[in-house]
Each structure stands twice: as C-alpha cells, then as structure tokens.
Amino acid sequence: MEPKKNPKADLTRRSSLFLQLGLVVVLFITWQAIEWKTYDRSNIDIGQVNLDELEEEDVPITQNLNTPPPPPPPPPAPEIIDVVEDEEEVEETIIESTETNQEEEIVEVEEVEDVEDEEEIADVPFAVIENVPVFPGCENAGNNAAKKKCMSEKVKKFVNRKFNTELGSELGLSGVNRIYVRFKIDRSGNIVGVQARGPHPRLEKEAQRVVGLLPKMTPGKQRGKAVGVLYSLPIVFQVQD
C-alpha cells in the first residue's frame, strides 16, 4: 500500500525548531511588555515658562530724603604769641673736631696694669692656724707646734701673775671658779675684742683688764698673709675658805 502524503511535506520533522522559535518570540514579547513605560502628558516639560503664574514682588517705595550736611566746625581761636626778649646770653657749646692732622704730636698711652684685689681671709682659730702668732720670747722656740705651746704657756703665766685672785674672797665666792675669755690677735699683732664670761661681772671685768695687758705679738699668717687669730683662754682659780 503506498503512502498518501509526500514524505517531504511532513512537518513533524522540524517540530523542535518551531518550538524553540515560538519560545524566543514569546520571551521577546514578554520582555517588551515589562519594559513598556507610559508618561502623563501634563507632567511633560515642554520648555515653556508660564509667566502668568509668577507672583508679583512688592518693592517698597523709598523716599529720597535730602538731609542737610552738618555745619562746619568753628574756626580755631587765634594764637597769641608773647614775644619775650632774651635777657640772658646763652653760651654756645663748640664741638671741636676729633680728627688729627700730621702736625700734631701723637701721645703714647702707657699700658694700664690690672691690679688684683687682695683676697681677704676671715679670722682663723688658733688651733688650725698655719703660722701661729709669736709671743715675745718664743721666736726661737722651733717649729709651729713648739711656738704654739710656748705661746700658751707664756699667756697662762702672764694672766696668773696679773690677775687679782683676792676678788673671790671679797665677793664671797668659794671653791673653784672659772672664767672663759675669748679675744683676737689682729693682723698687726694687737689684742682686740676681749670677751669674758664668769660667775660675777667684776671677775669678767678683771679678766678683760688682764688680757688687755698682753704684749703685742707677731701676727699669725694663713697662706702667707697676716690674718686675725681667735684665741680662747679659760682662767681657773680657787678661793680658800
């Protein structure tokens, strides 16, 4: 039995192709439908300005006031100048020129030597003096320690010989009495600044009198310069009951 249709006219052979084309067309139409936009014509700006809708601005009216200028200041009062005649003659100061010429003699200026101020050394205690004061009669005692010992002995003997020990009995004192004397041997070797402290004012005055009678000495030296030397002397005497 022979087929009725032509095999070339069979459309089922390309059904998959037609299906794919139909899907593409449907997708394209759907995309266009989603992207489709419409606008309100009243909101479209056509680039024209409606001047009727502008509000009129009220401009305030200003008046041109003609203010008169301020009056000019009064003229200054005329100055009165008193002419006073000079009664005294003023001497003019003549400034002489300091420039020299070849005819003037040039005076040579001698060099000025700087004189150093001598360092003043304070008073030094007798115990630490470098060169002790020398009591008359102790010049040949020997070294510094020997002269110091000689001076102490000479001063004690001199005070014991000159001091009036009978004052203790007259003042009603008894037992051992001590008087502390302090004085200075100045840069010239003289006894100055005698101070005394004892049990009675009369004893203090007697101690000051006796120490003031000490002979002039050779002054002590510190670093080769004569200085004041501080000396302390205790005077001890006993009153017999």
Side-chain angles (χ1 to χ4, degrees), residues 123-132 144 148 221-222 229-230:
D123 298 336
V124 183
F126 180 76
V128 296
I129 188 69
E130 292 180 356
N131 297 323
V132 296
N144 195 56
K148 183 182 294 186
K221 292 184 179 181
Q222 187 77 5
V229 179
L230 301 176

Side-chain angles (χ1 to χ4, degrees), residues 44-100:
I44 298 174
D45 187 7
I46 59 176
Q48 296 180 357
V49 179
N50 189 0
L51 298 178
D52 296 333
E53 296 180 358
L54 296 177
E55 296 180 358
E56 294 182 359
E57 182 180 0
D58 295 335
V59 180
I61 300 173
T62 58
Q63 296 180 358
N64 187 10
L65 301 177
N66 294 327
T67 304
E79 297 181 359
I80 300 175
I81 302 174
D82 294 336
V83 180
V84 181
E85 296 183 358
D86 295 335
E87 296 180 358
E88 298 180 358
E89 294 182 357
V90 180
E91 297 182 358
E92 296 182 356
T93 303
I94 301 174
I95 301 175
E96 298 181 356
S97 175
T98 57
E99 296 182 358
T100 59

Side-chain angles (χ1 to χ4, degrees), residues 182-203:
R182 187 170 182 266
F183 59 93
K184 182 175 75 171
I185 305 168
D186 64 6
R187 298 178 183 179
S188 300
N190 299 317
I191 306 300
V192 295
V194 182
Q195 299 176 355
R197 181 169 56 89
H200 197 277
R202 288 185 62 183
L203 293 177

Side-chain angles (χ1 to χ4, degrees), residues 1-235:
M1 182 176 178
E2 295 180 0
K4 295 180 180 182
K5 294 182 180 181
N6 188 359
K8 295 181 178 181
D10 189 6
L11 298 177
T12 58
R13 294 183 305 173
R14 300 180 180 179
S15 58
S16 60
L17 177 61
F18 294 148
L19 179 60
Q20 292 176 1
L21 291 175
L23 291 174
V24 171
V25 173
V26 172
L27 288 174
F28 178 75
I29 294 172
T30 304
W31 175 70
Q32 287 293 328
I34 293 172
E35 294 294 332
W36 183 263
K37 295 180 182 180
T38 59
Y39 301 94
D40 189 1
R41 293 182 177 276
S42 61
N43 294 331
I44 298 174
D45 187 7
I46 59 176
Q48 296 180 357
V49 179
N50 189 0
L51 298 178
D52 296 333
E53 296 180 358
L54 296 177
E55 296 180 358
E56 294 182 359
E57 182 180 0
D58 295 335
V59 180
I61 300 173
T62 58
Q63 296 180 358
N64 187 10
L65 301 177
N66 294 327
T67 304
E79 297 181 359
I80 300 175
I81 302 174
D82 294 336
V83 180
V84 181
E85 296 183 358
D86 295 335
E87 296 180 358
E88 298 180 358
E89 294 182 357
V90 180
E91 297 182 358
E92 296 182 356
T93 303
I94 301 174
I95 301 175
E96 298 181 356
S97 175
T98 57
E99 296 182 358
T100 59
N101 50 32
Q102 296 180 355
E103 297 179 357
E104 294 181 356
E105 296 182 358
I106 299 175
V107 179
E108 295 182 358
V109 180
E110 297 181 356
E111 295 182 359
V112 180
E113 296 181 357
D114 295 334
V115 180
E116 297 181 358
D117 296 336
E118 294 185 359
E119 181 183 0
E120 184 175 354
I121 302 175
D123 298 336
V124 183
F126 180 76
V128 296
I129 188 69
E130 292 180 356
N131 297 323
V132 296
V134 180
F135 196 91
C138 297
E139 291 83 2
N140 300 324
N143 57 12
N144 195 56
K147 290 179 180 178
K148 183 182 294 186
K149 183 179 179 181
C150 178
M151 176 180 172
S152 299
E153 293 176 354
K154 293 278 187 180
V155 170
K156 289 180 181 179
K157 290 180 181 180
F158 183 88
V159 172
N160 291 334
R161 189 172 65 254
K162 297 291 183 179
F163 194 86
N164 184 10
T165 57
E166 296 180 358
L167 282 175
S169 300
E170 295 178 4
L171 299 173
L173 302 177
S174 62
V176 179
N177 295 270
R178 301 176 187 273
I179 306 171
Y180 297 95
V181 184
R182 187 170 182 266
F183 59 93
K184 182 175 75 171
I185 305 168
D186 64 6
R187 298 178 183 179
S188 300
N190 299 317
I191 306 300
V192 295
V194 182
Q195 299 176 355
R197 181 169 56 89
H200 197 277
R202 288 185 62 183
L203 293 177
E204 295 176 354
K205 290 183 179 180
E206 178 65 14
Q208 293 176 353
R209 181 190 70 82
V210 173
V211 172
L213 297 176
L214 287 171
K216 185 176 181 179
M217 309 178 194
T218 303
K221 292 184 179 181
Q222 187 77 5
R223 286 179 285 182
K225 295 181 180 180
V227 294
V229 179
L230 301 176
Y231 194 94
S232 297
L233 174 66
I235 301 175

